[in-house]
Amino acid sequence: MPLLTLQFFFKLLIHQYIVLECVAFQSAVSMNEVVDIGVNLTHRAFRKHWRNVVQRAIDAGVTKLVLTGTSIQGSEECLGLCQTWFEETGAKNLYATVGVHPHDAKTWNDEQSNAQMKKMLSHPLAVAVGECGLDFNRNFSTPEDQIHAFREQVKLAVELNMPLFVHEREAHNELVKVLDEAGAGSLPPIVVHCFTGTKVEAMEYIQRGYYIGFTGTICKKERGAPLREMLPSIPLERVMVETDAPFMGFKKGRKSSEPADCIEVARKLAETVDMTFSTVCEKTTTNAVDLFKIND
């Protein structure tokens, strides 16, 4: 075989090898993508450089972020960022929840708040009612105000058949009671986000068909130990991953977290439940996509 023909043949082989490697790499990346279901992107920690925060997350494999609405104004701001990102990039990487956090329950107004939320929830990038629920740990709003605001938001989620993005701290029994008022057959899908409760509480949520969101707390040596102990008992089909950024930081060298860290949450989850990283990414992403209906 002439020398030039041999050179051409080897170049062709090298080219095909490079193409196959690129395809394999892209496939691996797509298998290892996750959804961060809880990001406080409107927080002042991100305000000046939120686009960079989102891009770092995408580059790390966190391809969809659900921004957490915690008040009427905050929900509007979340939707504004989602819309801006979509208009600038043409990509649906950002979605938002719309709700009033238990800390802000004292601001709830039955007629006004309900109407404002309903209008925002009609936005195509709004995917759930929340963050709503009960927090009896701090009681920035009275328990009575919290229960009332939560009850009204549950009614709205039932009316609109939209998922509930729920917050609960030291109020498990009361939260379940409010949800039971709606009737098990009427409730939309529910995720209890940023879970830090007990195994008994987690298993009750699972038995009721709820999803549970775990943050970087599972990566912390001491604080995460109780959560890591219960994780193998929780079906992966009911688990989602999140950062609650900029809160719940766990990386050495910085106190805060950011959405890109969600990949490490998934990695620790995989290690804890003794499954492959790609399996955890695939299943938690499927759970989030199914609940929020974000398969775009």
Side-chain angles (χ1 to χ4, degrees), residues 15-295:
H15 173 74
Q16 290 178 329
Y17 174 78
I18 291 172
V19 169
L20 288 173
E21 284 293 299
C22 289
V23 170
F25 175 76
Q26 290 172 351
S27 176
V29 169
S30 64
M31 285 175 60
N32 295 337
E33 293 176 351
V34 299
V35 178
D36 187 343
I37 69 162
V39 182
N40 298 284
L41 195 62
T42 60
H43 191 276
R44 61 181 178 276
F46 298 141
R47 192 167 295 151
K48 293 181 179 179
H49 59 288
W50 67 269
R51 291 177 180 82
N52 294 336
V53 172
V54 173
Q55 191 59 56
R56 282 198 296 272
I58 294 170
D59 292 344
V62 187
T63 55
K64 295 186 187 298
L65 286 64
V66 180
L67 312 191
T68 307
T70 58
S71 65
I72 298 299
Q73 180 180 343
S75 297
E76 290 176 347
E77 292 174 355
C78 285
L79 283 172
L81 295 186
C82 294
Q83 185 65 34
T84 297
W85 180 266
F86 177 68
E87 290 174 355
E88 292 179 354
T89 68
K92 290 185 178 179
N93 302 111
L94 304 186
Y95 299 85
T97 69
V98 174
V100 176
H101 192 284
H103 290 345
D104 291 316
K106 56 183 173 287
T107 68
W108 180 268
N109 175 285
D110 280 352
E111 185 174 346
Q112 189 175 5
S113 300
N114 188 290
Q116 290 171 317
M117 281 186 59
K118 190 176 291 188
K119 181 179 179 181
M120 285 187 282
L121 287 164
S122 68
H123 192 289
L125 296 176
V127 293
V129 174
E131 179 179 4
C132 59
L134 302 175
D135 191 319
F136 293 173
N137 174 265
R138 297 185 179 183
N139 282 324
F140 288 154
S141 292
T142 67
E144 293 76 19
D145 284 344
Q146 292 185 47
I147 290 172
H148 179 71
F150 181 42
R151 182 180 287 123
E152 292 303 308
Q153 290 177 89
V154 172
K155 290 179 183 177
L156 184 58
V158 171
E159 176 188 344
L160 300 177
N161 192 29
M162 294 192 74
L164 274 164
F165 186 77
V166 172
H167 171 107
E168 182 267 311
R169 288 290 181 278
E170 298 180 17
H172 173 82
N173 292 334
E174 292 82 357
L175 183 131
V176 166
K177 183 179 178 181
V178 172
L179 292 171
D180 282 347
E181 291 174 2
S186 301
L187 286 171
I190 295 170
V191 57
V192 181
H193 106 106
C194 193
F195 183 79
T196 56
T198 67
K199 182 178 179 181
V200 171
E201 292 168 349
M203 297 314 295
E204 182 172 1
Y205 289 143
I206 295 301
Q207 289 165 4
R208 288 169 169 270
Y210 305 167
Y211 293 87
I212 300 179
F214 289 95
T215 69
T217 299
I218 67 171
C219 302
K220 293 186 174 182
K221 183 176 180 180
E222 294 182 3
R223 286 190 61 191
L227 297 176
R228 290 194 299 274
E229 288 175 7
M230 73 175 74
L231 274 170
S233 301
I234 300 176
L236 194 58
E237 289 74 17
R238 289 289 155 186
V239 175
M240 298 185 198
V241 289
E242 57 179 317
T243 57
D244 201 24
F247 309 113
M248 316 305 283
F250 63 94
K251 302 275 283 188
K252 289 183 178 180
R254 55 180 163 90
K255 294 182 179 180
S256 62
S257 66
E258 63 173 78
D261 300 336
C262 200
I263 281 288
E264 298 306 317
V265 178
R267 202 178 301 280
K268 175 58 72 173
L269 174 60
E271 175 188 315
T272 304
V273 300
D274 194 25
M275 291 188 181
T276 64
F277 176 53
S278 60
T279 296
V280 165
C281 290
E282 180 184 358
K283 287 189 176 295
T284 58
T285 296
T286 297
N287 296 340
V289 166
D290 288 347
L291 181 119
F292 294 114
K293 297 180 175 63
I294 54 176
N295 193 18

Side-chain angles (χ1 to χ4, degrees), residues 7-17:
Q7 288 176 335
F8 174 79
F9 177 73
F10 282 120
K11 283 182 179 180
L12 180 61
L13 283 178
I14 291 171
H15 173 74
Q16 290 178 329
Y17 174 78

